[in-house]
C-alpha cells in the first residue's frame, strides 16, 4: 500500500475530467452553484446533496464538488486526508480496527488507500473495499465480493456512501476480528477490483 496516496491514476484522471467539465455538464460555474446552495432549506450534508440532486438534477459527483466548496470553515476538505482521517476515526477502538485492516492492505500488492469524509477507501485500478467507523468502537468493512463468499459476510442492505460495487459487508467488533479470513476476503476483493 502506498502511504498517503489518495487516488489511483485512473481515479485522478476521472476526477480531473469531472472538474474540467463541471460547468459544461451542470450548465453553471461552481460559484453560481454555491449561490444556489444558499437557498437550500436543508443544513445537513447528505440532505443538501439530496436537495441538489432532486431539485436541480445534479449527480453525486457534482453535488459533492459544490458541497466541498461551501464546507464549514476549519473543516477538512478532500485535499487534507490526514485531517479527514483524524475527524472520522476519533474513537480509539474503531481506529485500531482501521489500522488492522491497513496492515492487511499493506500485504496486498498494488493497494492504495484514500481517505474520504465518511470512510477510508482501498483501491487498485478501482475501489474494491472501504471501511467506516461504527458506534461503540466498531467498524464496517465493505468488499467487492458476493456475500456468499464467506459466512462472515452479509449483503450490503444499507445504502452506503462508498461504491455500489461493494455488495458485501462485515461488522468488525475489534482488531482481533481482522484475522486470516478477513485477510483472505480482502485479497479476493482486491483481485476482483
Amino acid at each position: 500500500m502506498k502511504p498517503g496516496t489518495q487516488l489511483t491514476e485512473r481515479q485522478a484522471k476521472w476526477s480531473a475530467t469531472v472538474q474540467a467539465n463541471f460547468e459544461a455538464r451542470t450548465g453553471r460555474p461552481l460559484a453560481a452553484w454555491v449561490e444556489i446552495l444558499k437557498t437550500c432549506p436543508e443544513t445537513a450534508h447528505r440532505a443538501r446533496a439530496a436537495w441538489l440532486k432532486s431539485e436541480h438534477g445534479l449527480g453525486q459527483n457534482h453535488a459533492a464538488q459544490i458541497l466541498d466548496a461551501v464546507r464549514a470553515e476549519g473543516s477538512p476538505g478532500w485535499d487534507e486526508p490526514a485531517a479527514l482521517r483524524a475527524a472520522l476515526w476519533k474513537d480509539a477502538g474503531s481506529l485500531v480496527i482501521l489500522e488492522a485492516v491497513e496492515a492487511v492492505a499493506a500485504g496486498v500488492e498494488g493497494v492504495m488507500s484514500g481517505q474520504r469524509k465518511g470512510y477510508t477507501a482501498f483501491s487498485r485500478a478501482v475501489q474494491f473495499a472501504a471501511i467506516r467507523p461504527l458506534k461503540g468502537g466498531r467498524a464496517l468493512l465493505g468488499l467487492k465480493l458476493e456475500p456468499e463468499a464467506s459466512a462472515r459476510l452479509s449483503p450490503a442492505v444499507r445504502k452506503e456512501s462508498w461504491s455500489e460495487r461493494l455488495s458485501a459487508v462485515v461488522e468488525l467488533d475489534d482488531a482481533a476480528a481482522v484475522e486470516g479470513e478477513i485477510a483472505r476476503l480482502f485479497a479476493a476483493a482486491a483481485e476482483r477490483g
Side-chain angles (χ1 to χ4, degrees), residues 2 25 29 36 47 76 79 96 137 146 150-152 157 159 191:
K2 298 178 182 176
R25 299 285 296 207
I36 289 169
D79 56 345
V96 172
E146 297 304 318
S150 170
R152 298 272 316 266
V157 293
K159 185 162 174 70
E191 286 301 315

Side-chain angles (χ1 to χ4, degrees), residues 37-149:
L37 188 62
K38 290 178 182 177
T39 68
C40 178
E42 304 293 343
T43 57
H45 182 84
R46 285 187 184 192
R48 294 175 100 189
W51 182 82
L52 285 167
K53 292 176 193 178
S54 67
E55 295 298 315
H56 297 282
L58 293 180
Q60 175 68 31
N61 298 315
H62 293 118
Q65 284 188 311
I66 296 163
L67 291 167
D68 190 53
V70 298
R71 71 180 187 274
E73 190 172 323
S75 69
W78 296 103
D79 56 345
E80 302 171 89
L84 285 173
R85 179 185 170 111
L88 181 63
W89 296 95
K90 293 179 276 200
D91 184 287
S94 295
L95 178 59
V96 172
I97 297 170
L98 170 65
E99 291 169 344
V101 171
E102 288 174 330
V104 166
V108 180
E109 187 175 337
V111 173
M112 298 193 321
S113 176
Q115 188 60 53
R116 311 295 187 259
K117 285 189 176 191
Y119 61 92
T120 301
F122 298 93
S123 305
R124 275 186 162 164
V126 296
Q127 183 180 327
F128 65 86
I131 186 169
R132 71 173 175 86
L134 295 173
K135 291 181 181 178
R138 300 175 311 120
L140 183 70
L141 177 64
L143 297 167
K144 184 181 178 188
L145 291 174
E146 297 304 318
E148 299 79 27

